[in-house]
Amino acid sequence: MPDAVPTLHEWAGGSEAFERLTTAFYARVREDELVGPLFAHMPDDHPHNVATWLAEVFGGPADYTERHGGYHHMVTKHLGLGITEEQRARWAQLIGLAADDAGLPADPEFRSAFMAYVEWGTRLALANSQPGAEPPEQAPVPRWGWGEAPPFQG
């Protein structure tokens, strides 16, 4: 079907694009005074695992779910961290900058969908990181799409 709308994963350039993204992102994070301390002890495979998560969220293969258990596993990584709003906002800013570093598509339709997920996901991470947070035990991995604007065909 040649007129089929590509997934955000396909439009971005596949899983390799999300690997480039997280490599660029965590390079920025390590140097950042505000969010760097949250990741001071991250394992070496953390950027790859986040790339796998993002690839799945944006319509790629379900590798994160198959290897790690999906949503519940991701949520547990945030429990008890006590993320602040300032840290959440900086994380979102840095991944937007890293999208440029990694050469992700810059068209407004893609970036709008991409950043919509970043805002949604970081706000859930913020809430789930607070003392006493009780996230759902089971929930599906979100499958993010284009939203209101179809992909730019320009």
Side-chain angles (χ1 to χ4, degrees):
M1 225 171 119
D3 293 330
V5 174
T7 65
L8 293 167
H9 176 264
E10 292 166 333
W11 193 261
S15 296
E16 299 80 18
F18 293 102
E19 291 286 345
R20 289 193 318 271
L21 171 69
T22 57
T23 298
F25 172 67
Y26 285 105
R28 285 180 173 272
V29 163
R30 285 181 183 98
E31 301 298 319
D32 191 82
E33 293 179 12
L34 186 58
V35 295
L38 291 172
F39 298 94
H41 303 290
M42 77 175 158
D44 291 341
D45 63 350
H46 184 75
H48 171 72
N49 292 338
V50 174
T52 304
W53 168 263
L54 292 172
E56 183 171 338
V57 165
F58 289 117
D63 292 343
Y64 189 91
T65 295
E66 291 171 11
R67 293 181 190 148
H68 302 288
Y71 179 84
H72 179 72
H73 184 265
M74 177 59 76
V75 168
T76 63
K77 298 298 180 185
H78 300 93
L79 296 176
L81 290 178
I83 298 168
T84 66
E85 170 54 27
E86 293 78 15
Q87 289 170 319
R88 183 213 66 81
R90 184 68 176 148
W91 196 101
Q93 179 186 31
L94 291 177
I95 203 160
L97 293 169
D100 291 334
D101 298 342
L104 266 61
D107 59 273
E109 295 82 5
F110 175 81
R111 288 300 177 96
S112 175
F114 177 74
M115 292 309 293
Y117 170 74
V118 168
E119 283 293 321
W120 180 83
T122 59
R123 290 171 191 281
L124 282 180
L126 173 71
N128 290 327
S129 76
Q130 301 310 305
E134 294 183 19
E137 286 284 322
Q138 296 296 322
V141 171
R143 298 295 274 191
W144 217 258
W146 290 99
E148 295 301 319
F152 177 72
Q153 296 294 320

